[in-house]
Amino acid sequence: MERFKTDILIIGAGPCGLFTVFEAGLLKLQCHLVDALPTIGGQLSEIYPKKPIYDIPGYPSILAEELAANLMKQIEPFKPSFTLGERAEQITKLPSGHFEMKTNKNTIIEAPVVAIAGGLGCFEPRKPTIENIVDFEDKGVDYIIKDPEKFRNKKIVIAGGGDSALDWSIYLSDIALEVVMIHRRTEFRGAPESVSKVGELVESGKIRLITEAEVTGLKGEHILESVEIQRTNQEPLILNTDYFIPLFGLTPKLGPIADWGLNLDKNAIVVNTLDYSTNVEGIYAIGDINTYEGKLKLILCGFHEATLMVQSAYRIIHSGKKPGFKYTTVTGISGIE
Ligand SMILES: Cc1cc2nc3c(=O)[nH]c(=O)nc-3n(C[C@H](O)[C@H](O)[C@H](O)COP(=O)(O)OP(=O)(O)OC[C@H]3O[C@@H](n4cnc5c(N)ncnc54)[C@H](O)[C@@H]3O)c2cc1C
């Protein structure tokens, strides 16, 4: 079980969570970010990495994935720490007045201030309807690939017909002992280059492709040992495997944050526009996850909210003291050691 202590715990490493680190860093506040996804960037990385964005001030056009990478570069001097691939699950207030947040993997982070930058919520994997699938989660069934090395020299079955299934099958065909791809149809929804690359790897025997098929059963004593595959107009097939990875996409859900006692309006957290504080002192909400009169779900607006929010957070952390205000052109950037 890992434990962290920080000044501001940021839930969500999308653009608004990342920019919070910068604004907090200017006030010498340390941040720790938690994201349910294994990568940073939120919607920028998960939904539209290759799309150009045209309304970021100073950038006539920037690819979403480049903006995420630039934000990471901009916050480097402030040395944030990260817990990725874990969902913020429970929050409790300690007698000290600090918050203690626990993730679904039991990591604990303590901080006097919590900034929720959870966007549309947690991207939850779409799970196939296999009766006992939950019994094998983390015991052979993975919905998100966090560390590809885990699959080195293992037998894996990947299901899906989109970019994720195609790209990971290609990548893992170099690492895994055996890659079997299962798809319900004969056509794929992914990028044409990836589809032809998979075709080549099937030809060369590095990927086994079974189309018009679905995984319908999982078997194993304590961990996954085999999958049952139903094929159209054919006998079912049993394949021995170490891992089954269904990659059917992700859908956002507000998730556990909905039970933290915060005022909500239609799945968004109601905030005071003075400082983007919630009804719980010390907990703020910025970016797509908050709501107020006139709210616009834009990156630019989330950046503004983050900037004002850390000013208020500073007062909580430093017993009511007001932070000094200086231009970066005057102070430059002095990082956190
Ligand atoms: C197709 C598309 C195009 C867009 N184009 C533009 C545009 O041109 N200009 C513009 O300004 N905006 C655009 N947007 C909107 C913009 O992407 C969002 O406003 C922005 O991503 C919001 O940032 P955020 O940091 O608030 O949240 P997000 O980017 O949604 O990130 C939130 C993160 O929080 C994580 N999270 C949520 N709950 C938890 C939890 N309980 N535990 C751990 N992690 C959690 C999620 O996994 C996610 O990574 C577009 C959106 C889409 C979908």
Side-chain angles (χ1 to χ4, degrees), residues 72-92:
M72 278 300 277
K73 180 128 198 62
Q74 194 172 18
I75 64 178
E76 245 171 41
F78 303 117
K79 299 196 173 67
S81 44
F82 289 87
T83 298
L84 296 178
E86 299 188 23
R87 190 177 58 223
E89 199 76 30
Q90 288 167 19
I91 199 153
T92 37

Side-chain angles (χ1 to χ4, degrees), residues 105-122:
K105 301 263 165 85
N106 292 325
T107 301
I108 291 179
I109 300 125
E110 184 189 324
V113 166
V114 177
I116 304 176
L120 304 173
C122 270

Side-chain angles (χ1 to χ4, degrees), residues 273-316:
T273 47
L274 265 186
D275 56 1
Y276 304 96
S277 53
T278 67
N279 57 307
V280 176
E281 199 195 353
I283 303 187
Y284 297 80
I286 54 161
D288 278 13
I289 202 153
N290 74 15
T291 184
Y292 51 86
E293 204 185 328
K295 167 76 186 177
L296 286 181
K297 287 188 182 181
L298 284 176
I299 297 165
L300 160 79
C301 299
F303 287 173
H304 165 81
E305 293 164 12
T307 309
L308 295 191
M309 184 275 284
V310 294
Q311 299 282 319
S312 174
Y314 184 94
R315 289 194 193 104
I316 290 190

Side-chain angles (χ1 to χ4, degrees), residues 11-17 34-37 39 41-44 47-48 51-56 86-89 117-123 253-254 256-257 286-289 297-300:
I11 297 169
C16 302
V34 178
D35 203 298
L37 293 173
T39 44
Q43 292 171 55
L44 303 187
I47 306 184
Y48 60 107
K51 279 197 177 184
I53 309 175
Y54 301 101
D55 55 353
I56 302 299
E86 299 188 23
R87 190 177 58 223
E89 199 76 30
L120 304 173
C122 270
F123 289 96
K253 288 210 179 80
L254 186 55
I257 293 169
I286 54 161
D288 278 13
I289 202 153
K297 287 188 182 181
L298 284 176
I299 297 165
L300 160 79

Side-chain angles (χ1 to χ4, degrees), residues 10-11 29 32 35 44 47 99 119 222 264:
I10 303 170
I11 297 169
L29 301 176
H32 184 94
D35 203 298
L44 303 187
I47 306 184
F99 294 95
H222 303 290
L264 301 178

